Amino acid sequence: MSSDDNPTAAAAAAPTTTPSSVKIYAGADPFGSHLKDALVAHLRSLPNIDVVDLGTDKYYSIAAQIGRHVSSSSSSPLIETRGLVACGTGAGVSIFANKFPRVYAATCLSVADAVNARSINSCNVLSLSGLSTPPSAAVEILGAWLSTPFKSPCPASSGAPWPDDLDAFLGAAPAEMAAIPEPIGADSNCAICCLRKGMDFEPVGIMPGGEMRIVRESPTSAYVRFKAGSVEPAHHHTFGHDLAVIKGKKKVWNLSKKESYELTDGDFLFTPAGDVHRVKYFEDTEFFIRWDGRWDIFLDEDLDAANLAVTKELGDGY
């Protein structure tokens, strides 16, 4: 019989090195609260462990709280931050804790699961099932999870040290794991910005410096970008269009209405159908545009005339 089938053998195979100090954030939903309470009491009887009991809440809410704490905490060789969560199956809390960077939650239903999760995955949030795991078994699972170092022999390695190639792989994994998800900037929650990532653009032939990607046809929407210094000659469309600047700086002259607008990050402008307008870009600029109907454009001046008009109004410095 392998140690996978024998929790006692797996526990015996687990190293007994415990971090010098561990801070554990604990929580559960109503189906796992009795298990969490028993384990919190057990942890408080152990030396060098600081337990923060966050109580009971909906499984996704409590898991998010714990995931956020573990994600934002900086572990060190002297103190390590981990999480303990329980729900009915152990799956739901694991899913939502894992939504946070540098959180590696695993649902463990046996000692062997806990030893494997620590050895292979550097699991820092233990997820348990309140419906299928009694407190006595959970204490054993918790003990194995606390005492098993990353890369140690485990049931998955048949209790033997990892071969050199797998040891090297595991050694390189933490840095790569920590980089997922990659930071994508302050605008990462914007649906339009997420849509734009990886997008292929087509040049706007009649307007040098401009590129566009139509993302929907009739009614039409597009993501557009222009390089700093570019000018859109006076032109009009058969449709009115809504425009939202994602980033950059531009000036729009509505020649039909004899009005002008300076637009920057987050600004919105509606231009009615048929209105003749000219545009100057002061910075690399990206914007989202939507209109009714299909794309068309009619030039009312050439590029040389547009540049002369812009220079006349703004001066040579622009």
Side-chain angles (χ1 to χ4, degrees):
M1 179 182 292
S2 71
S3 55
D4 273 302
D5 302 315
N6 187 339
T8 304
T16 57
T17 303
T18 304
S20 56
S21 182
V22 183
K23 184 171 187 176
I24 298 178
Y25 289 93
D29 79 349
F31 293 100
S33 60
H34 69 286
L35 196 60
K36 182 267 296 179
D37 291 343
L39 294 179
V40 165
H42 173 70
L43 286 168
R44 286 177 173 160
S45 71
L46 302 178
N48 302 319
I49 293 181
D50 177 22
V51 183
V52 180
D53 187 348
L54 299 179
T56 303
D57 203 343
K58 297 180 287 290
Y59 75 91
Y60 42 85
S61 300
I62 194 66
Q65 290 182 53
I66 289 172
R68 190 175 292 111
H69 278 294
V70 174
S71 178
S72 61
S73 298
S74 55
S75 294
S76 71
L78 298 179
I79 183 167
E80 183 179 3
T81 301
R82 298 192 193 180
L84 171 66
V85 281
C87 65
T89 65
V93 283
S94 180
I95 289 169
F96 283 90
N98 275 324
K99 289 183 176 290
F100 295 84
R102 299 172 302 281
V103 172
Y104 316 121
T107 303
C108 297
L109 302 179
S110 68
V111 167
D113 287 346
V115 177
N116 284 334
R118 280 293 304 153
S119 173
I120 301 169
N121 309 116
S122 193
C123 169
N124 56 8
V125 174
L126 176 62
S127 175
L128 295 168
S129 167
L131 294 179
S132 62
T133 305
S136 58
V139 167
E140 290 187 6
I141 293 169
L142 176 64
W145 179 73
L146 284 171
S147 63
T148 302
F150 177 55
K151 295 205 305 178
S152 63
C154 65
S157 69
S158 299
W162 291 103
D164 290 345
D165 58 338
L166 289 178
D167 187 76
F169 163 76
L170 292 174
E176 296 176 0
M177 290 160 59
I180 300 172
E182 296 181 1
I184 55 178
D187 58 2
S188 61
N189 291 327
C190 171
I192 294 174
C193 299
C194 292
L195 173 68
R196 177 252 183 273
K197 296 183 185 301
M199 185 178 286
D200 293 326
F201 289 83
E202 296 290 334
V204 182
I206 61 175
M207 293 184 178
E211 296 180 307
M212 180 171 68
R213 171 63 182 270
I214 293 178
V215 295
R216 183 183 178 190
E217 296 276 4
S218 190
T220 311
S221 55
Y223 201 100
V224 186
R225 62 186 184 189
F226 275 85
K227 293 185 180 299
S230 299
V231 171
E232 292 185 46
H235 61 282
H236 66 278
H237 308 279
T238 60
F239 48 79
H241 55 285
D242 299 286
L243 177 151
V245 178
I246 306 303
K247 62 179 180 179
K249 183 178 180 181
K250 60 189 286 188
K251 184 167 184 175
V252 179
W253 290 267
N254 186 318
L255 304 178
S256 299
K257 289 186 168 54
K258 297 182 173 56
E259 298 175 349
S260 63
Y261 323 93
E262 289 198 7
L263 307 176
T264 187
D265 299 12
D267 286 340
F268 168 84
L269 178 67
F270 173 72
T271 301
D275 279 16
V276 177
H277 51 290
R278 181 190 298 129
V279 185
K280 167 71 177 184
Y281 294 90
F282 304 108
E283 301 174 0
D284 289 351
T285 302
E286 299 186 3
F287 55 93
F288 188 79
I289 187 170
R290 182 193 179 282
W291 61 90
D292 294 323
R294 291 189 175 274
W295 170 254
D296 63 27
I297 184 169
F298 303 93
L299 291 180
D300 295 286
E301 65 181 359
D302 61 27
L303 186 58
D304 289 340
N307 279 316
L308 284 173
V310 171
T311 300
K312 181 178 179 181
E313 175 160 344
L314 301 179
D316 293 329
Y318 287 88

